[in-house]
């Protein structure tokens, strides 16, 4: 008998078709009523779950008595209660590597957009404000040659650092749990404590995973440690930054600007950030290119399929639960 796969977020028709070759696939659909209710009803039958962007833990999965694997279409896995998965012997997989370069592209886009005021001046032009060459009050800041601070030098952080160092001649600083001798050699990257990095960098780029340790890593005190001319870029997770403190710092001119792809509460609606011209606000699109989302989908399907076949999935987050 085919095993059952249940989607916990929207997945593409191509993914459904691929999965249907081997599994019974259930995708809750708003056309058929309440999506949460459809999910809850199907849960006791599910051997595998696939999707992204939804917290799953003890409360949500109590009825999933047959569940063997949750395949997340994301690299970050802060939405999942890994300890509970371990307790239940449920495998958790993610999609690293395939989104590294696209997410780094987006990180660098936020550096460029915030420094050169791209979104703000685009809106200004379209509003018919361009009557003469722009006044100095609308000038931007240079990116090339400025100091780039990477907080959390993982794969994505390193890919952003490469863009900055090799393409824009930027000195690289980084902070985190461990020294990266290879990147120090390759990019002349210098290790700093977080306060040192905040004080020296012209662009502070947050690329850490969200955990108890990184929640509100950047608050009012850290923003005060940054230069008034510096920019904060967040492509990690919203709660890494105390958003109220950031809004205050942007209003007060404690820092020059921010480029944001993630927020404490998503989707972001009606935020004071919308009134701030020195905040670039994107709708969590780090990995959102056609090619990368397709690669993530394929990787998530591969992981799910391996797990349900009894094979060890390529991207197993909690290997301790795997039984050959
Ligand atoms: C998207 C992401 O949020 O991979 C991650 O951790 O944040 C993004 O790729 C999303 O999970 C895409 O499905």
């Amino acid at each position: 008998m085919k095993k059952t796969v249940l989607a916990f977020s929207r997945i593409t028709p191509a993914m459904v078709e691929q999965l249907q070759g081997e599994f019974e696939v259930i995708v809750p659909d708003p056309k058929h009523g309440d999506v949460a209710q459809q999910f809850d009803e199907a849960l006791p039958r599910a051997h595998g779950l696939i999707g992204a962007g939804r917290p799953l833990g003890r409360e949500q999965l109590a009825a999933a008595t047959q569940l063997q694997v949750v395949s997340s279409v994301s690299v970050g896995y802060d939405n999942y209660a890994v300890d509970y998965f371990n307790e239940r012997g449920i495998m958790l997989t993610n999609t690293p590597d395939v989104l590294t370069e696209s997410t780094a592209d987006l990180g660098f886009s936020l550096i460029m957009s915030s420094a050169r005021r791209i979104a703000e001046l685009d809106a200004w032009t379209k509003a018919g404000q361009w009557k003469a060459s722009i006044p100095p009050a609308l000038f931007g800041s240079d990116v090339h040659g400025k100091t780039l601070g990477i907080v959390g030098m993982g794969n994505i952080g390193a890919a952003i650092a490469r863009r900055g160092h090799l393409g824009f001649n930027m000195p690289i600083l980084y902070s985190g749990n461990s020294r990266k001798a290879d990147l120090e050699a390759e990019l002349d990257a210098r290790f700093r404590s977080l306060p040192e990095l905040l004080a020296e960098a012209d662009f502070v780029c947050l690329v850490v995973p969200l955990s108890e340790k990184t929640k509100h890593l950047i608050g009012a005190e850290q923003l005060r440690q940054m230069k008034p001319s510096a920019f904060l870029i967040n492509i990690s997770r919203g709660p890494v930054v105390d958003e109220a403190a950031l809004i205050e710092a942007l209003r007060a001119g404690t820092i020059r600007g921010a480029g944001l792809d993630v927020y404490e509460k998503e989707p972001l609606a009606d935020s004071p950030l919308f009134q701030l011209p020195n905040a670039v606000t994107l709708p969590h699109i780090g990995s959102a290119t056609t090619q990368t989302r397709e690669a993530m989908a394929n990787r998530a399907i591969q992981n799910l399929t391996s797990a349900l076949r009894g094979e060890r999935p390529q991207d197993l987050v909690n290997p301790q639960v795997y039984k050959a």
Side-chain angles (χ1 to χ4, degrees), residues 9 51-53 72-78 95 99 103 235-237 262 266 284-288 293 296:
S9 67
S72 186
V73 195
S74 68
V75 64
Y77 49 86
D78 48 283
T95 59
L99 46 57
T103 308
I235 58 163
S236 61
R237 287 290 184 261
V262 290
E266 297 179 9
H284 199 148
I285 56 165
S287 65
R293 283 291 167 86
M296 290 166 71

Side-chain angles (χ1 to χ4, degrees), residues 3 14 58 63 107 121 123 166 194 199 216 254 261 267 276 309:
K3 289 190 169 171
R58 188 177 299 276
L121 292 176
L166 304 174
L194 181 60
H216 284 192
T254 311
D261 189 39
L276 295 171
R309 283 180 185 163

Side-chain angles (χ1 to χ4, degrees), residues 10-263:
R10 209 171 41 185
I11 61 171
T12 62
M15 289 174 78
V16 176
E17 201 180 312
Q18 224 178 310
L19 287 164
Q20 273 169 340
E22 194 161 337
F23 307 109
E24 188 206 337
V25 184
I26 305 174
V27 185
D29 185 339
K31 276 195 248 136
H32 304 137
D34 185 47
V35 173
Q37 194 185 334
Q38 291 172 52
F39 177 81
D40 288 341
E41 276 168 18
L43 204 51
R45 281 157 53 205
H47 300 96
L49 297 183
I50 190 163
R54 178 174 172 163
L56 293 176
R58 188 177 299 276
E59 198 188 319
Q60 296 81 4
L61 297 179
T65 48
Q66 316 223 53
L67 190 62
Q68 295 169 8
V69 59
V70 172
S71 174
S72 186
V73 195
S74 68
V75 64
Y77 49 86
D78 48 283
N79 266 329
Y80 311 104
V82 183
D83 287 347
Y84 174 69
F85 281 48
N86 293 344
E87 193 184 305
R88 290 266 316 267
I90 300 168
M91 289 179 264
L92 174 65
T93 63
N94 68 341
T95 59
D97 311 326
V98 289
L99 46 57
T100 301
E101 297 299 328
S102 297
T103 308
D105 285 347
L106 196 271
F108 216 84
S109 307
L110 279 172
I111 292 174
M112 297 295 287
S113 321
S114 48
R116 298 304 304 267
R117 305 171 73 161
I118 303 290
E120 182 189 357
L121 292 176
D122 171 67
W124 185 85
T125 307
K126 287 173 178 162
Q129 304 259 42
W130 189 18
K131 309 272 169 25
S133 46
I134 70 162
L138 290 179
F139 288 176
S141 308
D142 276 335
V143 174
H144 66 273
K146 296 291 180 188
T147 299
L148 175 56
I150 306 283
V151 180
M153 189 67 112
N155 291 341
I156 298 173
I160 296 172
R162 263 183 214 109
R163 282 159 178 71
H165 189 67
L166 304 174
F168 289 77
N169 198 24
M170 298 170 91
I172 307 296
L173 306 178
Y174 73 104
S175 70
N177 294 332
S178 57
R179 295 284 289 259
K180 311 273 173 173
D182 48 342
L183 292 169
E184 293 189 13
E186 180 192 342
L187 302 172
D188 195 22
R190 312 278 163 93
F191 188 76
R192 294 284 189 271
S193 69
L194 181 60
E196 285 166 353
L197 181 146
L198 294 171
E200 284 178 58
D202 297 301
F203 296 90
V204 173
C205 200
L206 305 177
V207 210
V208 283
L210 176 62
S211 67
E212 279 312 310
K213 258 179 74 187
T214 60
K215 183 160 190 260
H216 284 192
L217 183 69
I218 304 295
E221 186 189 333
Q222 289 71 28
L223 290 159
R224 274 196 301 273
Q225 288 164 356
M226 289 174 63
K227 298 178 189 178
S229 57
F231 294 85
L232 182 74
I233 308 298
N234 190 7
I235 58 163
S236 61
R237 287 290 184 261
V240 171
V241 176
D242 176 346
E243 207 164 284
L246 173 63
I247 290 165
E248 188 43 44
L250 289 169
R251 278 189 182 133
T254 311
I255 63 172
R256 175 69 195 86
L260 307 172
D261 189 39
V262 290
Y263 309 89

